[in-house]
Amino acid sequence: MKLGLAFCLFFALNSIAIADPEWRTSLSLGVEPKYGDNFTHYDYVNVNAPKGGTFNDSRTGTFNSFNPYIVTGTPAAGFSSRGGGEQYDTLMAPSTEETSVNYPLIAEAAQYPDDFSWVKFRLNKKARWHDGRPITAGDVVWSFNVLKSNSPFFNNYYHSVKKAEKTGEHEVTFLFEEKGNRELPYVMGQMPVLPQHWWEGTDATGKKRDITAPTLEIPLGSGPYEVESFIAGKSITWKRVENYWAADLPVNRGRFNFDKEHYSYFLDPNAAWEAFKKGNLVDWNLENRIQRWNQSYDFPAVKNGQVIRRSFAFHGSGRMQGFFINTRRPQFADRRVRQALNLAFDFESLNKSLFFNDYHRISSYFDGLDLAAKGLPQGKELEILETVKDEVPAEVFTTPFSNPVYDKPDSSRRYLTEAMRLLNEAGWHLEQNRLVNKKGEVFTLEVMLSDMAFERATAPFIANLQRLGIDASMRVVDASQYQNREANFDFDLVIKVIGQSDSPGNEQLEYWGSKAADRPGSYNVAGIKNPAVDKLIERVIYAKDREELVAATRALDRVLLWNYYVIPQWYAEHLNIAYWDKFGIPEPQPEASGVDIPSWWVKNDKN
């Protein structure tokens, strides 16, 4: 099982090529890779970890497909829509110990010129599919074309890649539309590679396979695991590939130790929690409810030491978590309305009454990183913002962004009064204690939730909105309905988390870019269509060095914040994890990813 982080994107390598580009065995984004040519394994892993046992995990909702690279269908656990997952290896593997570093996997080395106009990958001749056939340059070219044609995510992610072509028996070159995009070599290094011969073949009934359609036929893969069995929509079991071609590569030694990984599906998170407490069916729980972490781990298995609770340091990425506002809806089109909603959110009372003061308020789209906007714009950041001065709120240049702080007895009255003033300016007024517009239409707002646990944290926000005369409510829907409604933008507000790397780039187009706003299934759930944001994203992507990247990202952050597309929530600086005492865990676990489950193993006296 691979725990991914947010996409890592601004590209730099160990040294600068001058004439003929040299082959590189690592790709990094602005930092010196920890490991060089003598890389044999990650320092933290146990290379002698025993193989065996089963790792039992849970998912909510259901699944109906083993094809994660199309819009239709819900892929099963283990199939990743962005990377390789358990089934497919990628050209290079993201480091578990470092942010924004790739090491060899299918590709043993990479090469690119000073102007970043292309990147070439040299494939490992030992790379094999599970049927024993070699992974070829043709597979890589075919995969690129298929992913870009059929996956909205990859189509947007690879929009600056002109073409892929076979340039040698074991070499593939990606040509870029423009020069100077330092991230693209790194981005292409994380591309999953699919088996052309299998997908273009026929199934057991003689029917030709279709990469553009959902399927429950177990596909051919190249990764550390393959599907052993499944019950459609209910469970899936993966088994370790005994003759996995890459088992002894440095990125894999001491990892992928479980013989099997079993995922059970539950209707909702509470059912999964109950299954975890009973044991056998679910082995671990990544606890995202601080109240439960502090108050509900008193069941017998915890008291007698069968279940272990630990907090793992996690400093590998930034994030934005909050109520994402669907600006496609007319009542949220005005920035003043969105600002009023933000003023109505009382984080401090929540933190005290529900969160044990363990959380911090998010105040940036890159919270936790040095990319977060601070104070007033200066230097290079100010210079960049001047290019969009007429397209952004004036406050961008005059006022440091801050969330409301409910720390005084009169805070609620003060902030709600200000919120009402903004709503009045935007054309809304109170009529018989209801907020209406000039047409007499009532301002309605529904927060769509996927888990009843969010109700307690959302209820005070709803109450404040109702005090403003808004017909506000919250609604919990099942996982399948939630996924479908979010994908089709059928909501007012949803809670969402967007992870960020310390080297942002192309993925920002997917998160905030205008072209992604109306594409079903995109990550731009807020529906942002802002020319200034689009221009600043381009400045991030084409930043010439780290200094410019930081300045451009802070400028983007500042403009997003002052447009109030999201009502920021909270974050913790660690991962709270409980697990049944059946695992050996190498220490310390890498802080870049928090934990690396593939480095765990089942102890010999456990099953």
Side-chain angles (χ1 to χ4, degrees), residues 484-495:
N484 182 66
R485 287 185 59 182
E486 182 185 295
N488 291 284
F489 313 125
D490 181 19
F491 62 88
D492 292 336
L493 273 68
V494 291
I495 296 175

PDB file of all heavy atoms in Angstrom, residues 484-495:
ATOM      1  N   ASN A 484     -20.463  11.244  -6.351  1.00  0.00           N
ATOM      2  CA  ASN A 484     -21.127  11.616  -7.594  1.00  0.00           C
ATOM      3  C   ASN A 484     -21.522  13.081  -7.597  1.00  0.00           C
ATOM      4  O   ASN A 484     -21.322  13.798  -8.590  1.00  0.00           O
ATOM      5  CB  ASN A 484     -22.366  10.738  -7.796  1.00  0.00           C
ATOM      6  CG  ASN A 484     -23.074  11.047  -9.096  1.00  0.00           C
ATOM      7  OD1 ASN A 484     -22.545  10.828 -10.185  1.00  0.00           O
ATOM      8  ND2 ASN A 484     -24.290  11.560  -8.996  1.00  0.00           N
ATOM      9  N   ARG A 485     -22.077  13.568  -6.476  1.00  0.00           N
ATOM     10  CA  ARG A 485     -22.501  14.962  -6.422  1.00  0.00           C
ATOM     11  C   ARG A 485     -21.316  15.918  -6.450  1.00  0.00           C
ATOM     12  O   ARG A 485     -21.381  16.975  -7.099  1.00  0.00           O
ATOM     13  CB  ARG A 485     -23.358  15.198  -5.176  1.00  0.00           C
ATOM     14  CG  ARG A 485     -24.751  14.589  -5.265  1.00  0.00           C
ATOM     15  CD  ARG A 485     -25.602  14.952  -4.063  1.00  0.00           C
ATOM     16  NE  ARG A 485     -25.754  16.397  -3.915  1.00  0.00           N
ATOM     17  CZ  ARG A 485     -26.424  16.968  -2.924  1.00  0.00           C
ATOM     18  NH1 ARG A 485     -26.981  16.215  -1.974  1.00  0.00           N
ATOM     19  NH2 ARG A 485     -26.534  18.281  -2.858  1.00  0.00           N
ATOM     20  N   GLU A 486     -20.241  15.558  -5.757  1.00  0.00           N
ATOM     21  CA  GLU A 486     -19.071  16.425  -5.806  1.00  0.00           C
ATOM     22  C   GLU A 486     -18.485  16.459  -7.211  1.00  0.00           C
ATOM     23  O   GLU A 486     -18.125  17.525  -7.719  1.00  0.00           O
ATOM     24  CB  GLU A 486     -18.001  15.952  -4.815  1.00  0.00           C
ATOM     25  CG  GLU A 486     -16.778  16.861  -4.801  1.00  0.00           C
ATOM     26  CD  GLU A 486     -15.652  16.353  -3.931  1.00  0.00           C
ATOM     27  OE1 GLU A 486     -15.848  16.278  -2.716  1.00  0.00           O
ATOM     28  OE2 GLU A 486     -14.577  16.033  -4.482  1.00  0.00           O
ATOM     29  N   ALA A 487     -18.389  15.302  -7.854  1.00  0.00           N
ATOM     30  CA  ALA A 487     -17.814  15.226  -9.197  1.00  0.00           C
ATOM     31  C   ALA A 487     -18.601  16.052 -10.201  1.00  0.00           C
ATOM     32  O   ALA A 487     -18.037  16.586 -11.166  1.00  0.00           O
ATOM     33  CB  ALA A 487     -17.733  13.773  -9.650  1.00  0.00           C
ATOM     34  N   ASN A 488     -19.907  16.158  -9.981  1.00  0.00           N
ATOM     35  CA  ASN A 488     -20.765  16.915 -10.901  1.00  0.00           C
ATOM     36  C   ASN A 488     -21.149  18.286 -10.363  1.00  0.00           C
ATOM     37  O   ASN A 488     -22.046  18.937 -10.886  1.00  0.00           O
ATOM     38  CB  ASN A 488     -22.015  16.096 -11.226  1.00  0.00           C
ATOM     39  CG  ASN A 488     -21.703  14.879 -12.068  1.00  0.00           C
ATOM     40  OD1 ASN A 488     -21.470  14.995 -13.259  1.00  0.00           O
ATOM     41  ND2 ASN A 488     -21.687  13.706 -11.437  1.00  0.00           N
ATOM     42  N   PHE A 489     -20.480  18.709  -9.301  1.00  0.00           N
ATOM     43  CA  PHE A 489     -20.626  20.045  -8.711  1.00  0.00           C
ATOM     44  C   PHE A 489     -22.063  20.324  -8.261  1.00  0.00           C
ATOM     45  O   PHE A 489     -22.551  21.451  -8.353  1.00  0.00           O
ATOM     46  CB  PHE A 489     -20.155  21.113  -9.699  1.00  0.00           C
ATOM     47  CG  PHE A 489     -18.832  20.789 -10.340  1.00  0.00           C
ATOM     48  CD1 PHE A 489     -18.684  20.757 -11.721  1.00  0.00           C
ATOM     49  CD2 PHE A 489     -17.723  20.487  -9.562  1.00  0.00           C
ATOM     50  CE1 PHE A 489     -17.471  20.450 -12.308  1.00  0.00           C
ATOM     51  CE2 PHE A 489     -16.498  20.177 -10.144  1.00  0.00           C
ATOM     52  CZ  PHE A 489     -16.378  20.152 -11.521  1.00  0.00           C
ATOM     53  N   ASP A 490     -22.713  19.290  -7.752  1.00  0.00           N
ATOM     54  CA  ASP A 490     -24.094  19.412  -7.285  1.00  0.00           C
ATOM     55  C   ASP A 490     -24.094  19.614  -5.769  1.00  0.00           C
ATOM     56  O   ASP A 490     -24.461  18.728  -4.998  1.00  0.00           O
ATOM     57  CB  ASP A 490     -24.883  18.156  -7.680  1.00  0.00           C
ATOM     58  CG  ASP A 490     -26.338  18.219  -7.239  1.00  0.00           C
ATOM     59  OD1 ASP A 490     -26.829  19.329  -6.965  1.00  0.00           O
ATOM     60  OD2 ASP A 490     -26.976  17.145  -7.163  1.00  0.00           O
ATOM     61  N   PHE A 491     -23.654  20.788  -5.333  1.00  0.00           N
ATOM     62  CA  PHE A 491     -23.561  21.083  -3.907  1.00  0.00           C
ATOM     63  C   PHE A 491     -23.423  22.591  -3.733  1.00  0.00           C
ATOM     64  O   PHE A 491     -23.127  23.323  -4.687  1.00  0.00           O
ATOM     65  CB  PHE A 491     -22.362  20.379  -3.276  1.00  0.00           C
ATOM     66  CG  PHE A 491     -21.040  20.822  -3.861  1.00  0.00           C
ATOM     67  CD1 PHE A 491     -20.363  21.922  -3.344  1.00  0.00           C
ATOM     68  CD2 PHE A 491     -20.470  20.147  -4.932  1.00  0.00           C
ATOM     69  CE1 PHE A 491     -19.158  22.354  -3.891  1.00  0.00           C
ATOM     70  CE2 PHE A 491     -19.271  20.567  -5.486  1.00  0.00           C
ATOM     71  CZ  PHE A 491     -18.612  21.671  -4.962  1.00  0.00           C
ATOM     72  N   ASP A 492     -23.624  23.055  -2.512  1.00  0.00           N
ATOM     73  CA  ASP A 492     -23.337  24.444  -2.151  1.00  0.00           C
ATOM     74  C   ASP A 492     -21.952  24.550  -1.527  1.00  0.00           C
ATOM     75  O   ASP A 492     -21.081  25.248  -2.021  1.00  0.00           O
ATOM     76  CB  ASP A 492     -24.395  24.974  -1.180  1.00  0.00           C
ATOM     77  CG  ASP A 492     -25.758  25.136  -1.823  1.00  0.00           C
ATOM     78  OD1 ASP A 492     -25.830  25.278  -3.059  1.00  0.00           O
ATOM     79  OD2 ASP A 492     -26.767  25.110  -1.088  1.00  0.00           O
ATOM     80  N   LEU A 493     -21.756  23.829  -0.405  1.00  0.00           N
ATOM     81  CA  LEU A 493     -20.462  23.782   0.262  1.00  0.00           C
ATOM     82  C   LEU A 493     -20.109  22.326   0.558  1.00  0.00           C
ATOM     83  O   LEU A 493     -20.993  21.534   0.923  1.00  0.00           O
ATOM     84  CB  LEU A 493     -20.478  24.556   1.591  1.00  0.00           C
ATOM     85  CG  LEU A 493     -20.181  26.071   1.564  1.00  0.00           C
ATOM     86  CD1 LEU A 493     -21.308  26.824   0.873  1.00  0.00           C
ATOM     87  CD2 LEU A 493     -19.973  26.593   2.987  1.00  0.00           C
ATOM     88  N   VAL A 494     -18.847  21.977   0.388  1.00  0.00           N
ATOM     89  CA  VAL A 494     -18.347  20.663   0.795  1.00  0.00           C
ATOM     90  C   VAL A 494     -17.043  20.853   1.553  1.00  0.00           C
ATOM     91  O   VAL A 494     -16.357  21.866   1.384  1.00  0.00           O
ATOM     92  CB  VAL A 494     -18.094  19.715  -0.401  1.00  0.00           C
ATOM     93  CG1 VAL A 494     -19.393  19.298  -1.058  1.00  0.00           C
ATOM     94  CG2 VAL A 494     -17.142  20.352  -1.406  1.00  0.00           C
ATOM     95  N   ILE A 495     -16.714  19.892   2.383  1.00  0.00           N
ATOM     96  CA  ILE A 495     -15.432  19.901   3.080  1.00  0.00           C
ATOM     97  C   ILE A 495     -14.427  19.121   2.238  1.00  0.00           C
ATOM     98  O   ILE A 495     -14.693  17.997   1.815  1.00  0.00           O
ATOM     99  CB  ILE A 495     -15.549  19.270   4.473  1.00  0.00           C
ATOM    100  CG1 ILE A 495     -16.488  20.098   5.351  1.00  0.00           C
ATOM    101  CG2 ILE A 495     -14.171  19.162   5.133  1.00  0.00           C
ATOM    102  CD1 ILE A 495     -16.770  19.488   6.703  1.00  0.00           C
TER     103      ILE A 495
END
